[in-house]
Amino acid sequence: MKIVLKSLVLALVLVMAGFLQAGVYLEQQMHSDAVTIMGQTQPARDTVQKIYLEKDRMSSENDNMTMMVRLDSKKIYFVNHKNKSYMVSDLPLKFPPEMEKMFQTFQFQTDVRKTGETRQIGAYNCEGVEMNLTGFMNMKIKMWLTGDIQLPYQEYYSMAAEMVSYSPGMKQMMEKMKSLGNKFSVEQEMTGEVMGAKTRTVTKLVKYESKPLPAELFTPPAGYKEKPLNFQEMMQQQR
């Protein structure tokens, strides 16, 4: 379960961006070091995350999974390209009572501070920020944020609020991120421990484009079969 929450934290940090009317495409390279948890080794991974954003919708694609958030229809889709299926839930996302009770026990606190460091990354003037999560999760996120990319953020935070409404810790983290102002994360490193194992993930922005986006990016592909919503299976797919 810690792995799942870590993935949600990473997803929120990765999409610290806003929405232009024409649409936004972001491409990020992600590297995760090898890790052994409870005797099982997960090898080092290099993946590409593709994020498509519009005013009231978002699609985030990573490996064989795509998550689509639709504020216009108040739906969230979990698409599995490997078996050509998808699950759908109303927003705000509601878990079964037994899972909600479990999430309430997964509390953590978020602290954010600017380090005073500056750095040039590509064409962007960046400042250093550290985010520390303590409690159920103990993680440190070092971010390089820039104000050179001007994007409105309000729609992103509306989506994020829907996605993390079940978790007080995640909601607090989102508010701390929002307090940083109109800054975009160009590069970041997340380190911490999951079940006693040290983890490290580095994410770098490699492409940003403002362009029209086809509507089919925000709906499950034709021919995919809808499956009954199964939260356990959904979380397994996101690992």
Side-chain angles (χ1 to χ4, degrees):
M1 189 60 66
K2 286 188 176 182
I3 296 175
V4 173
L5 286 178
K6 178 175 179 286
S7 298
L8 289 172
V9 169
L10 182 58
L12 282 175
V13 175
L14 289 180
V15 295
M16 285 179 62
F19 300 74
L20 298 179
Q21 190 66 32
V24 171
Y25 172 65
L26 300 168
E27 186 173 311
Q28 296 173 320
Q29 290 181 346
M30 302 167 56
H31 171 81
S32 298
D33 290 350
V35 61
T36 299
I37 299 176
M38 298 180 66
Q40 296 186 350
T41 298
Q42 178 177 300
R45 299 179 63 200
D46 290 288
T47 59
V48 174
Q49 183 174 39
K50 299 178 180 180
I51 303 171
Y52 303 91
L53 309 168
E54 283 189 348
K55 182 178 180 180
D56 54 8
R57 59 190 72 184
M58 174 183 72
S59 176
S60 177
E61 178 183 340
N62 194 347
D63 292 336
N64 290 314
M65 293 296 303
T66 298
M67 181 174 65
M68 302 169 180
V69 180
R70 298 285 302 265
L71 285 186
D72 55 344
S73 59
K74 305 293 286 185
K75 300 287 185 181
I76 182 169
Y77 295 87
F78 303 91
V79 182
N80 187 320
H81 298 289
K82 189 174 182 180
N83 61 27
K84 296 186 177 181
S85 67
Y86 67 94
M87 302 179 191
V88 59
S89 173
D90 293 330
L91 288 176
L93 185 60
K94 295 291 186 181
F95 287 88
E98 63 275 13
M99 293 188 70
E100 286 191 357
K101 184 177 180 180
M102 178 180 63
F103 279 126
Q104 292 298 317
T105 67
F106 297 156
Q107 300 292 337
F108 60 93
Q109 298 295 315
T110 301
D111 178 68
V112 174
R113 72 177 185 90
K114 295 184 178 182
T115 66
E117 302 168 284
T118 59
R119 179 181 170 190
Q120 184 81 16
I121 301 179
Y124 305 116
N125 298 300
C126 301
E127 62 175 330
V129 171
E130 283 189 359
M131 178 181 291
N132 290 286
L133 312 180
T134 56
F136 168 70
M137 292 189 294
N138 292 287
M139 297 182 187
K140 177 179 178 181
I141 305 169
K142 177 61 178 290
M143 298 180 284
W144 292 99
L145 306 183
T146 184
D148 296 342
I149 300 175
Q150 299 298 319
L151 297 173
Y153 281 64
Q154 187 59 43
E155 288 83 357
Y156 161 68
Y157 287 112
S158 295
M159 288 194 189
E162 298 276 17
M163 294 169 60
V164 302
S165 60
Y166 63 90
S167 170
M170 294 287 284
K171 289 200 302 186
Q172 184 198 56
M173 188 194 74
M174 183 188 69
E175 289 300 318
K176 294 285 188 176
M177 290 165 61
K178 187 176 180 179
S179 72
L180 297 172
N182 293 341
K183 303 288 185 179
F184 185 87
S185 179
V186 176
E187 187 174 312
Q188 64 195 35
E189 179 184 47
M190 177 186 288
T191 56
E193 290 191 8
V194 176
M195 299 181 184
K198 295 186 180 300
T199 66
R200 175 177 174 270
T201 300
V202 176
T203 304
K204 297 181 180 180
L205 175 70
V206 294
K207 186 178 292 186
Y208 162 79
E209 295 177 348
S210 176
K211 62 181 182 180
L213 300 174
E216 54 263 31
L217 287 171
F218 305 100
T219 57
Y224 279 39
K225 181 180 179 181
E226 181 177 353
K227 298 178 62 176
L229 186 62
N230 183 312
F231 287 98
Q232 293 289 351
E233 181 179 343
M234 180 187 74
M235 288 187 166
Q236 289 289 335
Q237 291 173 357
Q238 292 186 73
R239 293 189 182 187

